């Protein structure tokens, strides 16, 4: 049974087709072969340039956010703690995929150990779920700050923020934990070639020569559970926020208050729109080339980690001012 694509990047599918000429006996494979981008092997070095650039920006940007929040006392609050969680999650997510991708592009290092493949799978999907959970937590922070401003500091204490962060991590870790365990138990007697740059869950499951309905149904359930709950809570938060904003007496007050949500809204758009586009492409783009699917898959995994620190750096005055002080020589 083919799994429906997940619009929040958790159950992302690609139209893999295995050639019978590659079929052999790999019941207990020690390694898999990651092809990279099928059909564009001759252009791997050139393709690596934008992806490497995106990765460098993501790493530098997210580390900068962490350093600035740590150094700036005025940023020690719930919104910026959640932003730091998002930065850490983005760093792990991008680092889980890019180094291996670049080794394929630059050194033709296509082999990946079976256990390493399962580990990469776990990190990719679990941190995608954590990213989504952090966006919900940030929506909650905006709701409390706008709808209950006088109680914001008493509701979202450091202890509560820590508990929310722990819940986000546990949810992502526990929901995705069955992925590698279920994948490990299947026999692999077809091929060990994965037409991708990473060990995406369904890409590996499709290589199994067994009834994988359990994996299909479970990953589909996780996809709808995470998507449904997170989108629902974010939507409810912003409905309440908009009601509170429209009740303000002046237009300036409404614009100023809504402006405090701008960064979070942009982050939501950069996270969800590429995933939605990819989901629609896989649902209706059956004639789209495999290499385009793989390119889109990698782009939307790297785009949010790159854009998140840029958005908050540009739109948040405290972060922008602190960064300028760090970059400006003393006495200038």
């Amino acid at each position: 049974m083919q799994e429906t694509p997940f619009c929040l990047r958790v159950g992302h599918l690609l139209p893999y087709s295995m050639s019978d000429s590659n079929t052999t006996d790999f019941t207990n494979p020690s390694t898999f072969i990651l092809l990279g981008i099928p059909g564009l092997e001759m252009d791997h070095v050139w393709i690596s340039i934008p992806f490497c650039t995106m990765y460098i920006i993501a790493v530098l940007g997210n580390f900068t956010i962490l350093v600035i929040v740590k150094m700036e006392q005025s940023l020690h609050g719930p919104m910026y703690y959640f932003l730091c969680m998002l930065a850490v999650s983005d760093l792990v997510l991008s680092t889980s995929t890019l180094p291996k991708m670049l080794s394929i592009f630059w050194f033709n290092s296509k082999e990946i150990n079976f256990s390493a493949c399962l580990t990469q799978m776990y990190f990719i999907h679990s941190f995608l779920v954590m990213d989504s959970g952090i966006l919900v937590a940030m929506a909650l922070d905006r709701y409390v700050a706008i709808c209950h401003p006088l109680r914001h500091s008493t509701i979202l204490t450091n202890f509560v923020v820590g508990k929310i962060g722990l819940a986000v991590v546990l949810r992502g870790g526990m929901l995705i934990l069955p992925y590698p365990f279920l994948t490990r138990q299947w026999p692999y007697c077809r091929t060990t070639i994965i037409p991708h740059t990473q060990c995406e869950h369904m890409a590996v499951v499709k290589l199994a020569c067994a009834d994988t309905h359990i994996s299909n149904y479970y990953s589909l359930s996780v996809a709808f559970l995470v998507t449904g709950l997170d989108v629902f809570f974010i939507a409810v938060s912003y409905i309440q926020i908009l009601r509170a904003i429209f009740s303000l007496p002046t237009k300036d007050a409404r614009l100023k208050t809504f402006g405090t949500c701008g960064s979070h809204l942009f982050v939501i758009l950069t996270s969800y729109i590429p995933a939605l586009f990819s989901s629609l492409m896989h649902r209706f783009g059956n004639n789209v080339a495999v290499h385009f699917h793989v390119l889109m898959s990698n782009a939307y995994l790297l785009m949010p980690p790159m854009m998140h620190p840029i958005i908050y750096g540009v739109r948040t005055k405290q972060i922008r001012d602190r960064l300028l002080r760090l970059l400006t020589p003393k006495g200038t």
Side-chain angles (χ1 to χ4, degrees):
M1 176 177 177
Q2 185 174 0
E3 182 184 4
T4 303
F6 174 27
C7 67
L8 264 181
R9 304 179 295 155
V10 177
H12 186 64
L13 303 182
L14 288 173
Y16 302 99
S17 58
M18 297 294 105
S19 173
D20 292 338
S21 61
N22 291 327
T23 301
T24 186
D25 184 12
F26 294 107
T27 303
N28 296 297
S30 59
T31 60
F32 283 120
I33 305 296
L34 293 169
L35 287 185
I37 303 177
L40 297 178
E41 288 85 356
M42 299 300 294
D43 300 316
H44 273 176
V45 174
W46 294 107
I47 294 171
S48 71
I49 295 175
F51 285 122
C52 184
T53 303
M54 292 167 68
Y55 179 60
I56 292 172
I57 295 173
V59 170
L60 292 178
N62 285 293
F63 267 119
T64 301
I65 291 291
L66 294 172
V67 170
I68 289 177
V69 172
K70 179 178 175 58
M71 295 176 61
E72 188 64 46
Q73 191 69 29
S74 63
L75 300 180
H76 291 184
M79 183 178 80
Y80 299 102
Y81 291 150
F82 290 136
L83 178 59
C84 287
M85 296 178 197
L86 186 65
V88 172
S89 179
D90 285 343
L91 283 170
V92 175
L93 179 60
S94 57
T95 304
S96 298
T97 57
L98 240 295
K100 182 58 184 177
M101 184 198 305
L102 294 179
S103 73
I104 296 171
F105 290 166
W106 291 346
F107 309 113
N108 204 34
S109 177
K110 298 183 178 182
E111 287 192 358
I112 183 169
N113 181 272
F114 184 55
S115 297
C117 185
L118 297 184
T119 302
Q120 185 190 55
M121 175 200 304
Y122 176 76
F123 272 88
I124 291 172
H125 291 283
S126 61
F127 277 90
L128 288 176
V129 176
M130 290 179 202
D131 258 15
S132 182
I134 294 168
L135 292 179
V136 176
M138 296 173 86
L140 173 65
D141 170 72
R142 291 298 83 207
Y143 162 73
V144 176
I146 292 174
C147 297
H148 305 283
L150 299 179
R151 299 171 55 199
H152 182 257
S153 59
T154 58
I155 294 176
L156 290 178
T157 62
N158 289 346
F159 180 70
V160 172
V161 170
K163 287 171 64 176
I164 293 174
L166 180 61
V168 168
V169 172
L170 289 178
R171 186 187 74 152
M174 297 303 293
L175 283 177
I176 303 302
L177 194 59
Y179 279 24
F181 283 103
L182 289 173
T183 304
R184 181 179 288 276
Q185 75 173 359
W186 307 128
Y188 295 88
C189 56
R190 291 175 183 158
T191 181
T192 58
I193 298 176
I194 304 174
H196 208 309
T197 58
Q198 59 192 263
C199 290
E200 195 273 332
H201 176 236
M202 288 307 299
V204 178
V205 170
K206 286 183 177 182
L207 304 183
C209 53
D211 185 355
T212 59
H213 280 82
I214 295 176
S215 284
N216 293 336
Y217 286 135
Y218 181 75
S219 57
L220 188 62
S221 299
V222 169
F224 279 111
L225 176 66
V226 173
T227 305
L229 288 179
D230 290 358
V231 171
F232 173 77
F233 285 127
I234 290 174
V236 169
S237 296
Y238 272 95
I239 289 172
Q240 297 301 316
I241 287 170
L242 289 175
R243 289 179 59 186
I245 289 175
F246 285 124
S247 67
L248 295 175
T250 65
K251 181 179 179 180
D252 287 343
R254 290 194 291 268
L255 290 175
K256 184 177 180 180
T257 303
F258 187 74
T260 63
C261 301
S263 298
H264 183 239
L265 287 173
F266 277 116
V267 165
I268 290 176
L269 293 176
T270 59
S271 297
Y272 291 176
I273 286 181
L276 178 61
F277 173 76
S278 181
S279 176
L280 293 174
M281 183 180 67
H282 287 293
R283 180 179 291 270
F284 302 110
N286 295 326
N287 296 323
V288 177
V290 175
H291 67 261
F292 187 74
H293 285 278
V294 176
L295 284 170
M296 287 300 303
S297 173
N298 286 295
Y300 89 93
L301 277 178
L302 283 173
M303 188 68 70
M306 179 189 72
M307 292 302 299
H308 293 166
I310 293 175
I311 291 170
Y312 274 97
V314 170
R315 292 190 56 84
T316 306
K317 185 177 185 300
Q318 296 96 319
I319 293 178
R320 187 172 64 249
D321 291 347
R322 182 65 185 188
L323 180 60
L324 290 175
R325 289 204 301 271
L326 288 175
L327 297 178
T328 304
K330 292 183 178 179
T332 303

